[in-house]
Amino acid sequence: MKIAVCIKRVPDSETRVKIGSDGKRLDEAGVKFVLNPYDEFAVEEALQRKEKAGSGEVAVMCLGPAAAAETIRTALAMGADRGVLLQTDAIPADGFVTAQALAAELQGGAWDLILFGKMAIDDYNQQVGPMVAELLGLPCVTAVAHLEIDGTKGIAEREIEGGVEVVEFPLPAVLTADKGLNEPRYPALKGIMAAKKKALEVKPVQLGPGGIEVLALTPPPERKEGKIVGEGAGAVAELVRLLREEAKVL
Amino acid sequence: MAPKYQGVDFYDIDGLLNEEERAVRDTVRAWVDDHLMPVIGEAYIAGKFPKQLVPGMAELGLFGANLPEEYGCAGLNNVAYGLIMQELERGDSGVRSFASVQGALVMYPIYAFGSEEQKKKWLPQMASGKVIGCFGLTEPDYGSNPAGMITVAKETKDGWVLNGAKMWITNGSTAQVAVVWAKTAKDADSIRGFVVPTDAKGFSAKDQKGKLSLRASDTSELVLQDVHVPKDAVLPASGGLKSPLMCLTAARYGIAWGAVGAAMACYDEAVSYAKTRVMFGKPIGGFQLQQLRLAEMLSEITKAQLLCLQLGRLKDAGKSTPQQVSLAKRNNVSMATDIAREARRLLGANGILVEYQSMRHLANLESVYTYEGTHDIHTLILGQEITGLSAFN
């Protein structure tokens, strides 16, 4: 099994992010970056597939700044075999630009599977996986929560509103991983030490501007403090009056 | 859901760690969150070591993590090892104690004083958690003064016969192997270490009951009555009291880090409580008395973190001294105990409940204050170092 996993370096979901002075990007000072949580499912799935097959390769691809090498090494510490960093300081807002760079790298790699997380938790775009599939002319199944592979055929389950959708597809294919697909392993201590010795190729990339420009980032408006109108049935009339006249929601 | 534990790092000490050190810390932190925190309260009340966690700890590589890879260990540096201890004790001192004993008190002496055969036989099995170890030095009447021990090992034609009793032995009743220290003649210079399988005839371990501290850890009394062991049970390079003291220095180093973890847990809990608990119409964190508590806690934690880190860097460079380890153990455990107590008080009545951590840490730290060289003994070690005059004799 030859599997590529495309990953992204994202701010930790627990980090309190601040908007930078240009108002268009995050201030990265003091921000902790992690491997995108949905990508952890993709890495884990690749490792399990390779282990099951008894042989093969798991290669990790990442488009990002030099610091993203650390994110790649997290995946290597989990057990991936090698990494490729497509290095650029300007992370494009347009997923299509990222997809083009990744597809160019993946092209001709004879992959059985190309895995992504279903989305990055920083931009929530869910675009890059399907775009790469399109550029490579491969079938794509998104948000896979359960996966079975039998030879050159795969069956994926997707949790959709009110039910489960079962999709059959031929390999090679591009899949994006949803929560529930597996339980990602911790990078064990020996894995962390071994990751230092694994191959990590750094390839500088020049990207076009793409079709999307971020005009401004703004934090969500601060919520006003709530008001307790009263207690018990006696307070209902006043509550209804306030909802109608002040909040104007009734 | 409560926000995920983020640690305490007021001075960007993360910036002084390398990538592996941070990765190791993050892995252990996540494991503690997922596996230790959900079960520790119940284990503590039940007075049982959460044994089910051992395979997971072994799989991560937490046992003897600073020993070489050729013996199945992770081969980490001492700062990464210290960070493991910090994160484990953020969960519970008893669980950290388990790892300290396994790694620093049993695997380390086998590594440092053992023959190649002993290392090959025991270390990989202990790293993988298949064999649990305990360390028998302290005796009922010889705690701070181990030189006075009465456990003896008599050489016979085909091996050794051990007689004596050991007390306050962490993991004693769960262990498959014990490193037992005994005198082979009358004086302290004759003390040697023996690797004793706990199923040897005449070896018995009994749990000590009624502990109000370290309840999630097994503490036992060992009795050795005519225990026969073969010639190769002795650790060949061990000799004199210096050998077990070297083990204690290794363990105390981990304790100095561990105490910081316990303090960080209490501070984290105190901050979150102070921001959300409302009294007199505002969060109690808005009152000066609580702010003083929190400011003191953060100051002490930050100082202790820097102390540990520099001690670790010295140890990695082969330059740390036992006296420096004494200072760190003494300072950090004492400050952590104070922080746990203040956090407990800040939490008010809720602070006495097991669903909060501070009182559990406080009770645990009272043991940590006393074991591995009491606070007072470390004071005297430093006193001797400063003045050149020993207060012991």
Side-chain angles (χ1 to χ4, degrees):
Chain A
M1 261 268 151
K2 202 173 167 212
I3 306 171
V5 188
C6 300
I7 64 171
K8 188 175 184 187
R9 170 182 183 262
V10 298
D12 189 347
S13 56
E14 300 286 335
T15 300
R16 252 183 270 159
V17 292
K18 281 189 300 232
I19 294 168
S21 53
D22 67 355
K24 295 182 182 184
R25 61 185 76 220
L26 296 181
D27 178 1
E28 296 195 357
V31 174
K32 188 182 174 195
F33 285 87
V34 296
L35 170 59
N36 178 40
Y38 286 101
D39 299 346
E40 288 184 20
F41 299 114
V43 173
E44 178 63 34
E45 194 60 26
L47 295 174
Q48 287 187 16
R49 292 286 148 196
K50 182 192 149 188
E51 283 157 9
K52 215 178 220 173
S55 67
E57 185 193 33
V58 175
V60 177
M61 318 274 160
C62 180
L63 183 132
E70 186 166 349
T71 314
I72 293 178
R73 270 191 291 271
T74 303
L76 297 179
M78 288 171 74
D81 299 299
R82 64 179 179 94
V84 179
L85 172 60
L86 303 177
Q87 192 184 327
T88 170
D89 286 329
I91 306 298
D94 187 346
F96 189 61
V97 176
T98 304
Q100 283 176 314
L102 285 169
E105 178 61 28
L106 291 161
Q107 187 81 52
W111 308 103
D112 297 302
L113 283 173
I114 298 172
L115 302 179
F116 288 80
K118 80 164 178 186
M119 64 178 186
I121 61 159
D122 55 355
D123 63 24
Y124 271 49
N125 274 338
Q126 316 197 31
Q127 293 177 345
V128 176
M131 284 173 168
V132 166
E134 194 63 27
L135 289 168
L136 295 177
L138 294 174
C140 179
V141 187
T142 57
V144 175
H146 182 80
L147 178 66
E148 273 171 48
I149 296 206
D150 183 10
T152 56
K153 194 182 83 177
I155 296 173
E157 289 181 11
R158 312 175 66 241
E159 287 174 6
I160 58 171
E161 193 64 41
V164 173
E165 184 179 69
V166 182
V167 183
E168 198 180 297
F169 60 92
L171 265 54
V174 175
L175 307 177
T176 74
D178 200 355
K179 201 177 168 185
L181 181 59
N182 51 45
E183 188 71 38
R185 67 195 67 187
Y186 301 100
L189 273 40
K190 277 187 211 169
I192 292 169
M193 298 304 282
K196 283 195 291 190
K197 295 168 200 146
K198 291 181 179 172
L200 201 171
E201 209 180 334
V202 179
K203 298 182 176 177
V205 287
Q206 294 297 328
L207 303 172
I212 291 177
E213 189 194 344
V214 175
L215 298 179
L217 290 178
T218 49
E222 271 195 48
R223 269 171 45 185
K224 273 192 250 157
E225 217 174 311
K227 180 151 79 178
I228 294 172
V229 179
E231 274 182 37
V236 173
E238 175 65 359
L239 180 66
V240 171
R241 187 189 71 77
L242 287 171
L243 287 174
R244 183 174 316 199
E245 291 172 15
E246 256 184 39
K248 298 194 166 70
V249 293
L250 290 181
Chain B
M1 215 179 86
K4 224 165 64 184
Y5 173 74
Q6 292 294 294
V8 180
D9 185 8
F10 193 63
Y11 260 46
D12 188 24
I13 295 167
D14 254 25
L16 299 174
L17 303 176
N18 68 33
E19 188 182 316
E20 289 89 55
E21 290 160 354
R22 286 198 306 273
V24 166
R25 192 262 325 272
D26 290 348
T27 276
V28 183
R29 185 172 286 175
W31 180 86
V32 167
D33 266 331
D34 296 343
H35 298 278
L36 178 55
M37 298 314 282
V39 301
I40 190 60
E42 204 176 313
Y44 197 86
I45 293 287
K48 285 208 165 75
F49 172 69
K51 220 173 169 174
Q52 73 275 19
L53 300 180
V54 172
M57 292 165 84
E59 204 176 306
L60 287 185
L62 304 188
F63 301 138
N66 54 350
L67 299 180
E69 292 169 65
E70 58 177 307
Y71 300 113
C73 304
L76 300 181
N77 71 16
N78 285 293
V79 169
Y81 173 82
L83 288 164
I84 296 173
M85 297 296 135
Q86 172 190 296
E87 293 306 313
L88 286 179
E89 194 148 356
R90 192 271 290 193
D92 189 77
S93 304
V95 176
R96 197 271 305 138
S97 295
F98 180 91
S100 283
V101 168
Q102 180 85 347
L105 293 183
V106 186
M107 295 172 74
Y108 168 73
I110 292 173
Y111 170 71
F113 311 124
S115 65
E116 197 54 38
E117 290 74 39
Q118 286 170 328
K119 292 184 217 181
K120 286 208 169 102
K121 177 175 179 190
W122 294 107
L123 295 180
Q125 292 197 76
M126 296 196 71
S128 65
K130 290 192 186 93
V131 167
I132 306 300
C134 68
F135 177 85
L137 175 67
T138 297
E139 300 188 355
D141 294 323
Y142 296 93
S144 293
N145 176 22
M149 70 165 67
I150 54 173
T151 298
V152 290
K154 232 174 137 179
E155 198 159 8
T156 62
K157 269 204 313 273
D158 56 348
W160 299 85
V161 179
L162 278 75
N163 275 289
K166 300 289 179 182
M167 207 161 177
W168 307 112
I169 308 304
T170 301
N171 303 351
S173 60
T174 23
Q176 286 85 39
V177 66
V179 167
V180 175
W181 299 91
K183 280 180 179 162
T184 54
K186 292 254 177 288
D187 57 322
D189 288 342
S190 76
I191 291 173
R192 302 199 74 185
F194 295 85
V195 182
V196 184
T198 58
D199 60 0
K201 196 166 166 248
F203 186 105
S204 61
K206 205 174 74 193
D207 273 343
Q208 291 178 241
K209 300 284 178 200
K211 281 188 301 169
L212 297 173
S213 170
L214 289 183
R215 288 187 53 77
S217 167
D218 293 328
T219 312
S220 324
E221 187 183 355
L222 310 181
V223 176
L224 297 106
Q225 196 171 10
D226 292 329
V227 176
H228 287 257
V229 290
K231 278 217 180 315
D232 63 4
V234 70
L235 293 170
S238 69
L241 190 59
K242 190 171 182 293
S243 302
L245 292 185
M246 279 168 72
C247 302
L248 295 182
T249 299
R252 288 164 183 170
Y253 168 76
I255 292 169
W257 280 91
V260 177
M264 285 160 67
C266 294
Y267 171 77
D268 183 64
E269 181 168 84
V271 170
S272 130
Y273 194 85
K275 283 181 173 172
T276 50
R277 172 72 173 172
V278 174
M279 198 56 62
F280 301 107
K282 65 175 175 180
I284 60 170
F287 293 100
Q288 291 183 4
L289 284 175
Q290 309 303 359
Q291 290 189 353
L292 171 63
R293 279 199 163 111
L294 296 172
E296 291 283 357
M297 287 182 199
L298 182 59
S299 304
E300 289 307 316
I301 288 170
T302 303
K303 288 188 267 181
Q305 286 170 329
L306 289 163
L307 192 61
C308 277
L309 184 60
Q310 174 63 2
L311 181 63
R313 296 285 180 232
L314 287 172
K315 191 165 155 69
D316 278 329
K319 289 184 188 162
S320 67
T321 68
Q323 291 77 15
Q324 288 169 337
V325 176
S326 282
L327 189 150
K329 191 273 181 184
R330 180 180 183 276
N331 179 79
N332 291 7
V333 177
S334 178
M335 74 86 197
T337 314
D338 291 343
I339 284 176
R341 188 183 303 111
E342 290 306 314
R344 208 299 300 148
R345 290 177 178 169
L346 181 147
L347 289 158
N350 282 320
I352 70 162
L353 296 173
V354 74
E355 65 182 272
Y356 293 91
Q357 311 168 51
S358 294
M359 188 151 173
R360 174 167 53 79
H361 281 299
L362 172 60
N364 281 338
L365 286 163
E366 286 293 343
S367 287
V368 182
Y369 188 90
T370 296
Y371 75 24
E372 293 282 355
T374 68
H375 185 81
D376 295 349
I377 289 293
H378 287 298
T379 309
L380 301 185
I381 290 171
L382 290 174
Q384 181 174 6
E385 175 71 9
I386 297 161
T387 64
L389 304 167
S390 168
F392 295 100
N393 304 316

